[in-house]
Amino acid sequence: GAVVSQHPSWVICKSGTSVKIECRSLDFQATTMFWYRQFPKQSLMLMATSNEGSKATYEQGVEKDKFLINHASLTLSTLTVTSAHPEDSSFYICSAKLAHEQYFGPGTRLTVT
Amino acid sequence: GQNIDQPTEMTATEGAIVQINCTYQTSGFNGLFWYQQHAGEAPTFLSYNVLDGLEEKGRFSSFLSRSKGYSYLLLKELQMKDSASYLCAPSTDSWGKFQFGAGTQVVVTP
């Protein structure tokens, strides 16, 4: 139980385009989901907390107009990277909260060319 | 602000024991998690401490002292597959938000 999926697993896009990443909790409902970003050989950096039915809470330094988060249902949160640039290339990981624990998705590797 | 310190890298041989220390200073505290992450993969849950003391779970144990802002993860009977990054993550608020440490890369040698 407690499986989280992400789609796509990897994506390559051109600079200036937008990319949407989906995070789904497959066998449980998650009121709260989290989005992280991880650069090579660095730790996970929390980007935002996504609560179902309300606006996401962004961490300091994360542009909310660039990283659009929508948590429209108890099993789905989406992260849209708008007007992507090469510096946005990273490993994006979501997690879904169940009780006190976070269950992580497999991650999405984004490469912006 | 949040401050989480753990060693960058540790090397040990197969069958040995390794202890990864983590000190933290956070504005809130709601438990401490340890995760394992292999390169290019998502983190997997190892342990959770909310009260002081030792939690044992097979080959892995985790200790917490809230007054000292200190935790450690103990890995026993090391196996080659234990080579990975180990992340210390205090949960900092009632929403369950984590702040991850930089991670300790454990290298297990034959």
Side-chain angles (χ1 to χ4, degrees), chain A:
Chain A
V3 178
V4 176
S5 70
Q6 274 183 247
H7 178 80
S9 303
W10 57 271
V11 57
I12 301 172
C13 71
K14 292 191 175 180
S15 191
T17 61
S18 295
V19 174
K20 180 186 281 189
I21 302 169
E22 293 185 348
C23 177
R24 292 182 187 272
S25 55
L26 298 185
D27 49 2
F28 66 101
Q29 293 183 329
T31 306
T32 303
M33 291 184 174
F34 301 91
W35 286 96
Y36 297 85
R37 180 168 52 180
Q38 186 174 35
F39 293 106
K41 299 197 175 182
Q42 294 186 25
S43 190
L44 283 78
M45 296 299 295
L46 179 65
M47 298 176 69
T49 302
S50 169
N51 291 300
E52 186 266 338
S54 63
K55 289 184 179 180
T57 303
Y58 290 82
E59 294 299 298
Q60 195 172 6
V62 178
E63 300 172 58
K64 61 182 179 182
D65 294 330
K66 180 170 178 62
F67 298 99
L68 302 179
I69 291 171
N70 186 293
H71 193 159
S73 80
L74 288 171
T75 59
L76 173 65
S77 176
T78 60
L79 169 68
T80 301
V81 183
T82 62
S83 187
H85 290 285
E87 57 265 32
D88 298 325
S89 298
S90 187
F91 191 46
Y92 291 86
I93 307 176
C94 73
S95 70
K97 183 168 177 282
L98 179 62
H100 59 262
E101 202 172 318
Q102 290 185 33
Y103 293 88
F104 286 83
T108 297
R109 188 159 301 283
L110 169 64
T111 301
V112 184
T113 60

Side-chain angles (χ1 to χ4, degrees), chain A residues 38 42-44, chain B residues 6 20 22 32-37 43 46 73 85-89 100-104:
Chain A
Q38 186 174 35
Q42 294 186 25
S43 190
L44 283 78
Chain B
Q6 51 181 129
I20 305 170
C22 171
L32 190 136
F33 293 78
W34 284 93
Y35 279 82
Q36 180 193 61
Q37 187 180 26
L46 290 178
L73 179 70
S85 183
Y86 291 84
L87 307 172
C88 171
F100 280 93
T104 298

Side-chain angles (χ1 to χ4, degrees), chain B:
Chain B
Q2 326 283 12
N3 192 27
I4 303 161
D5 286 318
Q6 51 181 129
T8 305
E9 186 171 312
M10 302 181 76
T11 301
T13 53
E14 255 186 309
I17 298 173
V18 70
Q19 178 174 315
I20 305 170
N21 296 322
C22 171
T23 57
Y24 61 89
Q25 289 177 309
T26 56
S27 53
F29 184 77
N30 199 30
L32 190 136
F33 293 78
W34 284 93
Y35 279 82
Q36 180 193 61
Q37 187 180 26
H38 287 98
E41 299 179 11
T44 55
F45 169 79
L46 290 178
S47 70
Y48 170 63
N49 295 68
V50 65
L51 299 176
D52 290 352
L54 187 68
E55 292 282 341
E56 296 190 79
K57 203 173 179 183
R59 294 190 299 114
F60 296 162
S61 303
S62 57
F63 172 84
L64 175 68
S65 169
R66 289 170 295 170
S67 61
K68 295 182 179 177
Y70 168 69
S71 174
Y72 69 72
L73 179 70
L74 195 69
L75 286 64
K76 294 178 273 190
E77 299 168 22
L78 278 174
Q79 302 175 8
M80 296 300 290
K81 67 179 182 180
D82 297 330
S83 291
S85 183
Y86 291 84
L87 307 172
C88 171
S91 176
T92 57
D93 64 13
S94 58
W95 290 109
K97 189 166 77 171
F98 288 176
Q99 294 292 340
F100 280 93
T104 298
Q105 186 66 41
V106 171
V107 177
V108 182
T109 59

